[in-house]
């Protein structure tokens, strides 16, 4: 296991003392939140896949720099911010329920892309 780095090199982002623990806790919370959504919800399916993949890498990798390299989405401290943001979004999605039918029928052409020429 490598030595704890002195800085992230990013202004305002302090080094995490225990990124494995923090990420593990956050990934667990995200997965528990996703379990409350319908299994066929697109957000749940895709987010669950990403979080499970990252959690598996976290379990298999003890060295922080190796973890960062394998996940390839920033430093551990940035991964923590990403996980916190995802947890907040997942909790909001439970309130918003985007998997439920629309209350009113959308206007004609609402979901067409590219938009029809006029």
């Amino acid at each position: 296991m490598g030595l704890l780095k002195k800085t992230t090199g990013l202004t305002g982002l302090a080094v995490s003392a225990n990124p494995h623990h923090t990420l593990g806790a956050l990934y667990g919370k995200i997965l528990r939140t996703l379990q409350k959504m319908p299994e066929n919800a697109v957000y749940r399916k895709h987010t669950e896949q990403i979080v499970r993949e990252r959690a598996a890498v976290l379990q298999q990798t003890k060295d922080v720099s190796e973890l960062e390299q394998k996940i390839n989405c920033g430093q551990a401290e940035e991964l923590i911010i990403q996980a916190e943001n995802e947890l907040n979004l997942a909790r909001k999605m439970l309130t918003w329920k985007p998997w439920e039918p629309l209350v009113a029928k959308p206007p004609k052409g609402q979901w067409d892309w590219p938009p029809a020429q006029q």
Side-chain angles (χ1 to χ4, degrees), residues 26-27 29-31 33-34 37 43-44 46-48 50-51 54 79-93:
L26 286 166
Y27 291 158
K29 287 178 183 181
I30 293 167
L31 291 171
T33 302
L34 294 172
M37 297 176 190
Y43 173 76
R44 174 184 171 169
H46 293 287
T47 305
E48 203 167 41
I50 291 167
V51 173
R54 289 185 178 192
L79 295 173
I80 290 168
I81 291 170
Q82 292 167 18
E84 289 169 342
N85 290 340
E86 198 64 57
L87 178 58
N88 288 333
L89 177 60
R91 288 174 173 164
K92 288 178 182 178
M93 291 293 239

Side-chain angles (χ1 to χ4, degrees), residues 4-19 22 64 68 75-81 84:
L4 190 65
K5 59 187 168 189
K6 294 183 185 333
T7 179
T8 62
L10 300 170
T11 302
L13 187 56
V15 173
S16 174
N18 194 348
T22 305
V64 176
E68 294 169 347
Q75 296 182 50
E77 293 77 10
E78 292 172 292
L79 295 173
I80 290 168
I81 291 170
E84 289 169 342

Side-chain angles (χ1 to χ4, degrees), residues 98-112:
W99 50 83
E100 290 186 352
L102 296 174
V103 175
K105 190 173 179 173
K108 186 175 180 343
Q110 171 75 38
W111 308 115
D112 295 343

Side-chain angles (χ1 to χ4, degrees), residues 1-4 17-21 23-24 54-71 76:
M1 192 149 161
L3 296 172
L4 190 65
N18 194 348
H20 277 79
H21 173 76
L23 283 169
R54 289 185 178 192
V57 171
L58 185 69
Q59 291 291 321
Q60 298 163 2
T61 312
K62 297 303 173 205
D63 182 66
V64 176
S65 60
E66 188 181 340
L67 172 72
E68 294 169 347
Q69 187 177 18
K70 285 183 177 180
I71 292 180

